[in-house]
Amino acid sequence: MTQESTYSFEPPSGGGVSSALLHSLRTPLNQILGYCELLRDELASRNEPGLLADVNRIEAAGQDLLGLIESSSSTAPLPRPGEADSTLSPIELMVANAAAVIADQPAQDDLAYLQAYAPPSARESGRILVVDDKSGNRDVLSRMLRKQGFEVAEAGDGSDALTMLSESADKGKPFEVVLLDIVMPDVNGWEVLQKVKADPKLQNTAIIMISGVDDTDTIVRCLELGAADFVPKPFVPAILKARVSASIRAAHASGAMN
Amino acid sequence: MPTILLVEDNEANRDMLSRRLVRNGFDVTCAVDGNEGFAMTLSGHPDLVLMDMSLPGMNGWDATRAIRNQPEIAGIPVIALTAHAMAEDRALALAAGCDDYDTKPIELPRLLGKINALLARNEQETK
C-alpha cells in the first residue's frame, strides 16, 4: 500500500459486525435518507433539476451504503482478498473513499494539497474517461479529477467505455487518459485494456488501471498488457494527479511524434 | 387533524420524522425519552403514539407497558419503532402492548398505512 489507513475498522471475530456498531452506522444513514425524501418533496414544486439530481445521488449512495451495512451484518463472512475486487471490503473501501474526500481540504501551507490542486499546465491538460461500475467510486474519482482541473467523462461499464472511446476518437477528440477499474461485470477492465491497445485509432490514449487489489501479479499484468500505469484504491489526490499528468504528458509527446 | 406523539431520543430522527408526518396532515408533538413519552401521553391524550424502543431512562417497552397499565390512556394505539428488523424485537414490542411495529429506515407510505389502520380501528371502537 502506498499510504497508511487513516481510519480503523475492526470486525469482531465472528465475521459479522456488532449490533451496536450497526446501529451507530444505520442511524445517520437513515437520517440522510429521510432528509433526502423531504428535500425531494420540497423540490417537486420547484424547477431545480440539478439539485434534484444531486439529492437523488445522495439518496442512492445512502441506499448503497445501507445495503453494504446490512449485508455485513449477515452471518456470511465478508469477502476475502482474492474473491472480491478489492483487498478492502466494500464498506472499508467506502469509508476510505469518504475519508479521502473529508481529508481533502486545504490546510495552510499544505504542499501536497497545493500540488494536488494546482491547475494543470497546457501540456498536462486533457480529457479523462473514468470507468467504474460502482457509481460511488466513479463519483469520488471524477470529483477529485474535476477539482484538479481535468475534463472528466464517466462510463459505468466496459462496453459503454469502448463506445465512448471509439466515438470520441472518430470525432477527432480522443480521450488522453482512461482511468479503468479492473473488476466489472460483463466487459471487465482487462478486456477493455486489450481492445483499446489493439485499436490503432486509440494508440495515443493512455490507460491507467485502478484497483483495490494491489498485489504484484495484478500490477505486472496490467503493465504487460499495455497499461501506462496503475493506481491503487483508495486514491491519494496528489499521487493521482501526478500519475494522470505524467500519462497526459506522455500521450501528448507520442501524439506529437506520430 | 389526528394528533400523534412521537417518542424518539435522537434529535435528527425526531425532526425528520415529525416533519414528514406534519407534511402528511398530522398534528405532531414530540417527547425525548420514555418518561416524557408516558407523561405526555397521559397529559395530552394523543390519537396515536409512535414509540422508539431504545430510549434512555425508561425504554420504549417499559413506557408502553406503563401506558397500558394506566386505564384512561390504555386504549391509545402505540406503534413501536426499532432500528433493526429482528423477530424477537417484534415479539417483545407486541408483548409489551404495542399494537403494531415498524422498522427503520422508515418507509413513510408503509408507516402511514399502519397509522391510518390503527386510527380507523380506534374510531370504530369508540363509535
Side-chain angles (χ1 to χ4, degrees):
Chain A
M1 293 292 284
T2 50
Q3 68 158 49
E4 283 185 6
S5 281
T6 51
Y7 64 97
S8 65
F9 181 89
E10 232 177 293
S13 52
V17 177
S18 81
S19 64
L21 175 59
L22 280 171
H23 181 78
S24 319
L25 289 170
R26 281 196 196 103
T27 301
L29 270 173
N30 289 339
Q31 288 162 358
I32 289 167
L33 294 176
Y35 279 117
C36 282
E37 191 190 295
L38 272 172
L39 281 169
R40 218 185 17 240
D41 282 359
E42 205 58 47
L43 288 170
S45 53
R46 289 198 252 160
N47 185 25
E48 300 199 52
L51 203 50
L52 185 62
D54 276 346
V55 169
N56 286 338
R57 281 161 90 183
I58 292 169
E59 189 175 35
Q63 296 282 12
D64 280 356
L65 189 46
L66 200 61
L68 290 174
I69 291 168
E70 299 299 336
S71 64
S72 72
S73 72
S74 68
T75 47
L78 297 169
R80 299 322 307 163
E83 295 168 9
D85 60 352
S86 172
T87 47
L88 299 176
S89 73
I91 289 188
E92 288 175 300
L93 186 58
M94 218 149 172
V95 171
N97 277 341
V101 171
I102 291 164
D104 198 18
Q105 302 295 332
Q108 235 176 347
D109 301 329
D110 184 339
L111 193 60
Y113 187 88
L114 293 176
Q115 280 169 349
Y117 294 108
S121 66
R123 67 194 185 108
E124 289 170 352
S125 69
R127 295 178 71 218
I128 301 171
L129 181 64
V130 170
V131 190
D132 197 316
D133 59 315
K134 305 217 173 44
S135 62
N137 290 343
R138 219 163 52 225
D139 200 41
V140 166
L141 192 50
S142 313
R143 277 169 194 266
M144 222 176 245
L145 290 164
R146 286 195 186 106
K147 209 168 141 191
Q148 291 172 340
F150 297 107
E151 194 185 329
V152 183
E154 300 175 34
D157 63 54
S159 49
D160 274 359
L162 288 167
T163 308
M164 288 171 77
L165 286 168
S166 176
E167 283 176 0
S168 60
D170 289 341
K171 286 181 195 151
K173 226 193 149 199
F175 287 93
E176 269 83 2
V177 173
V178 182
L179 280 165
L180 181 59
D181 186 30
I182 296 177
V183 180
M184 293 186 291
D186 302 324
V187 183
N188 67 29
W190 301 117
E191 294 167 84
V192 174
L193 173 61
Q194 285 166 291
K195 288 207 165 101
V196 169
K197 287 295 125 189
D199 187 339
K201 72 185 178 197
L202 298 176
Q203 58 175 318
N204 290 327
T205 296
I207 305 232
I208 299 178
M209 304 301 275
I210 49 177
S211 175
V213 185
D214 64 349
D215 64 285
T216 308
D217 287 350
T218 304
I219 299 173
V220 168
R221 192 171 161 217
C222 286
L223 299 174
E224 280 178 353
L225 287 172
D229 209 337
F230 178 94
V231 181
K233 298 181 202 175
F235 308 106
V236 180
I239 295 175
L240 177 71
K241 165 110 188 274
R243 290 189 154 157
V244 168
S245 296
S247 288
I248 290 176
R249 281 199 302 274
H252 284 174
S254 71
M257 276 190 292
N258 290 318
Chain B
M1 199 185 281
T3 55
I4 292 181
L5 175 67
L6 171 63
V7 190
E8 163 71 78
D9 61 319
N10 185 298
E11 188 183 353
N13 281 345
R14 207 163 57 229
D15 175 64
M16 176 186 79
L17 188 53
S18 61
R19 282 163 63 173
R20 293 164 85 184
L21 290 167
V22 167
R23 288 183 74 89
N24 281 277
F26 294 97
D27 188 359
V28 182
T29 50
C30 295
V32 302
D33 59 37
N35 291 306
E36 196 180 38
F38 171 69
M40 286 177 71
T41 307
L42 195 56
S43 60
H45 282 248
D47 293 317
L48 184 137
V49 178
L50 285 174
M51 183 82 79
D52 183 29
M53 288 289 110
S54 42
L55 293 167
M58 189 195 279
N59 67 32
W61 292 284
D62 289 341
T64 304
R65 268 188 284 270
I67 291 170
R68 290 291 169 258
N69 287 333
Q70 195 74 29
E72 64 268 41
I73 53 172
I76 294 176
V78 176
I79 298 180
L81 301 177
T82 76
H84 25 79
M86 287 167 77
E88 62 250 47
D89 280 348
R90 184 189 177 90
L92 278 173
L94 297 177
C98 293
D99 298 86
D100 209 336
Y101 170 96
D102 208 19
T103 51
K104 300 176 192 173
I106 300 292
E107 274 177 39
L108 204 59
R110 184 182 67 199
L111 180 63
L112 289 174
K114 292 178 179 180
I115 291 172
N116 289 326
L118 282 170
L119 290 176
R121 188 199 73 184
N122 255 36
E123 206 166 301
Q124 286 287 315
E125 282 173 3
T126 50
K127 266 179 192 168

